[in-house]
Amino acid sequence: MDEPTPQSVPVSLQERMTWPVQVQVTVARRDSLVAAPSNVWFEEFTMPRAETLDLRDKVESLVDQSGQSYRISVESGRTSWGGDSGEIMAVALYVSGAVTQAAIGHQVGNLFAQLRQRRQARTTAEVRPLSREEAISRARWSVARRYAAMLSVGAIDVDRLDVVGESEDRESGAWTITLLSDLGWNFQVTLRTREGLVTIDRLDANRER
């Protein structure tokens, strides 16, 4: 007798809403929409997918639409390292006009505090360390995604970000990857695995002289 063919089990929308999403929120203040940012606030969060549905509105509420010029963008997708994958979402708000660093900084601080409360509590039976290849790939992706718009340097080619330095903290599992672009920018990215997702601890950019 032939064995029955395995059937896939559909995942309900309700269950999908509980899946974790790695969220990146960037808020930048600048004197005009065409100027480079004067101040930048950035933080990453992990939260259930259901908690991301109002994220754009939450970030956009930082601005007084009647008195400030601003631009907001939202990108979402999935990152995968073979069989390990996760949802990602990036929200970037650029504010210009009559807004001070102190005022917007206070508002951003309050928003980030609210978003931290949405953190997805996850327990995993095993903790998979971040490999060198994953660290380099994610560092390149993060640089290309974030700095192209913020530094007004145009598109950053991921394949032309050369690895010029790397180090691993075996105790914490963190990698620090230094990348050099063909446009003369030096990027240093520190990242690690938290709650089963790759997170960025620090990302710095400097122009090579």
Side-chain angles (χ1 to χ4, degrees):
M1 178 182 295
D2 294 335
E3 293 184 0
T5 302
Q7 300 293 321
S8 60
V9 178
V11 179
S12 68
L13 179 59
Q14 182 177 3
E15 182 178 347
R16 287 177 181 272
M17 288 294 102
T18 67
W19 288 359
V21 178
Q22 184 176 354
V23 174
Q24 302 173 347
V25 178
T26 302
V27 179
R29 185 191 73 84
R30 50 193 180 185
D31 296 330
S32 70
L33 287 178
V34 296
S38 301
N39 309 104
V40 178
W41 296 266
F42 169 80
E43 194 156 338
E44 286 192 333
F45 310 88
T46 302
M47 62 183 67
R49 187 178 177 187
E51 296 288 353
T52 67
L53 299 181
D54 66 341
L55 191 57
R56 171 178 171 166
D57 291 337
K58 277 287 190 182
V59 176
E60 197 168 9
S61 68
L62 293 175
V63 298
D64 176 4
Q65 299 182 29
S66 62
Q68 297 169 8
S69 300
Y70 71 97
R71 177 170 63 86
I72 188 168
S73 64
V74 181
E75 297 182 39
S76 60
R78 176 180 293 274
T79 182
S80 176
W81 312 113
D84 179 25
S85 61
E87 294 292 332
I88 54 176
M89 182 177 185
V91 182
L93 174 68
Y94 300 87
V95 184
S96 63
V99 56
T100 65
Q101 175 184 353
I104 191 70
H106 177 72
Q107 293 175 283
V108 172
N110 289 339
L111 173 64
F112 284 178
Q114 294 174 29
L115 296 181
R116 289 189 199 102
Q117 296 178 0
R118 300 184 177 191
R119 263 183 92 81
Q120 169 77 21
R122 301 182 67 199
T123 57
T124 55
E126 58 180 359
V127 177
R128 182 179 61 81
L130 184 64
S131 71
R132 173 182 179 273
E133 292 73 20
E134 291 174 341
I136 292 174
S137 179
R138 182 55 189 269
R140 283 173 166 160
W141 177 84
S142 298
V143 166
R145 184 183 185 91
R146 189 172 310 149
Y147 276 97
M150 289 176 58
L151 298 178
S152 301
V153 297
I156 295 179
D157 187 347
V158 173
D159 295 329
R160 300 185 73 174
L161 288 169
D162 295 328
V163 179
V164 295
E166 59 182 80
S167 63
E168 180 186 16
D169 185 335
R170 295 186 178 276
E171 183 174 346
S172 66
W175 279 88
T176 298
I177 306 296
T178 304
L179 303 169
L180 181 65
S181 79
D182 60 325
L183 299 171
W185 285 88
N186 182 288
F187 304 94
Q188 190 171 77
V189 188
T190 300
L191 62 169
R192 72 185 74 204
T193 300
R194 282 195 177 97
E195 300 177 349
L197 294 173
V198 180
T199 62
I200 306 297
D201 284 354
R202 187 177 180 88
L203 202 167
D204 297 316
N206 295 285
R207 188 68 179 267
E208 291 286 299
R209 296 188 182 277

PDB file of all heavy atoms in Angstrom, residues 10 24-25 45 110:
ATOM      1  N   PRO A  10      -1.849  24.579   6.763  1.00  0.00           N
ATOM      2  CA  PRO A  10      -1.888  26.028   6.618  1.00  0.00           C
ATOM      3  C   PRO A  10      -1.746  26.730   7.965  1.00  0.00           C
ATOM      4  O   PRO A  10      -2.221  26.241   8.986  1.00  0.00           O
ATOM      5  CB  PRO A  10      -3.271  26.282   5.997  1.00  0.00           C
ATOM      6  CG  PRO A  10      -4.097  25.097   6.400  1.00  0.00           C
ATOM      7  CD  PRO A  10      -3.143  23.935   6.420  1.00  0.00           C
ATOM      8  N   GLN A  24      13.234  48.340  12.633  1.00  0.00           N
ATOM      9  CA  GLN A  24      14.241  49.400  12.706  1.00  0.00           C
ATOM     10  C   GLN A  24      13.519  50.737  12.543  1.00  0.00           C
ATOM     11  O   GLN A  24      12.782  50.934  11.580  1.00  0.00           O
ATOM     12  CB  GLN A  24      15.285  49.240  11.603  1.00  0.00           C
ATOM     13  CG  GLN A  24      16.014  47.917  11.622  1.00  0.00           C
ATOM     14  CD  GLN A  24      16.918  47.740  10.409  1.00  0.00           C
ATOM     15  OE1 GLN A  24      16.829  48.491   9.446  1.00  0.00           O
ATOM     16  NE2 GLN A  24      17.780  46.744  10.460  1.00  0.00           N
ATOM     17  N   VAL A  25      13.730  51.640  13.497  1.00  0.00           N
ATOM     18  CA  VAL A  25      13.115  52.971  13.426  1.00  0.00           C
ATOM     19  C   VAL A  25      14.228  54.016  13.412  1.00  0.00           C
ATOM     20  O   VAL A  25      15.090  54.033  14.294  1.00  0.00           O
ATOM     21  CB  VAL A  25      12.178  53.226  14.616  1.00  0.00           C
ATOM     22  CG1 VAL A  25      11.590  54.638  14.527  1.00  0.00           C
ATOM     23  CG2 VAL A  25      11.051  52.199  14.634  1.00  0.00           C
ATOM     24  N   PHE A  45      13.978  47.037  17.437  1.00  0.00           N
ATOM     25  CA  PHE A  45      13.069  46.363  18.354  1.00  0.00           C
ATOM     26  C   PHE A  45      12.653  45.029  17.744  1.00  0.00           C
ATOM     27  O   PHE A  45      12.661  44.865  16.524  1.00  0.00           O
ATOM     28  CB  PHE A  45      11.797  47.194  18.592  1.00  0.00           C
ATOM     29  CG  PHE A  45      12.056  48.634  18.957  1.00  0.00           C
ATOM     30  CD1 PHE A  45      12.195  49.601  17.973  1.00  0.00           C
ATOM     31  CD2 PHE A  45      12.170  49.017  20.283  1.00  0.00           C
ATOM     32  CE1 PHE A  45      12.440  50.920  18.300  1.00  0.00           C
ATOM     33  CE2 PHE A  45      12.413  50.337  20.627  1.00  0.00           C
ATOM     34  CZ  PHE A  45      12.538  51.292  19.628  1.00  0.00           C
ATOM     35  N   ASN A 110      10.300  59.226  24.079  1.00  0.00           N
ATOM     36  CA  ASN A 110       9.014  58.696  24.547  1.00  0.00           C
ATOM     37  C   ASN A 110       8.506  57.588  23.622  1.00  0.00           C
ATOM     38  O   ASN A 110       7.982  56.564  24.080  1.00  0.00           O
ATOM     39  CB  ASN A 110       7.974  59.813  24.631  1.00  0.00           C
ATOM     40  CG  ASN A 110       8.246  60.773  25.776  1.00  0.00           C
ATOM     41  OD1 ASN A 110       8.953  60.431  26.731  1.00  0.00           O
ATOM     42  ND2 ASN A 110       7.712  61.982  25.688  1.00  0.00           N
TER      43      ASN A 110
END
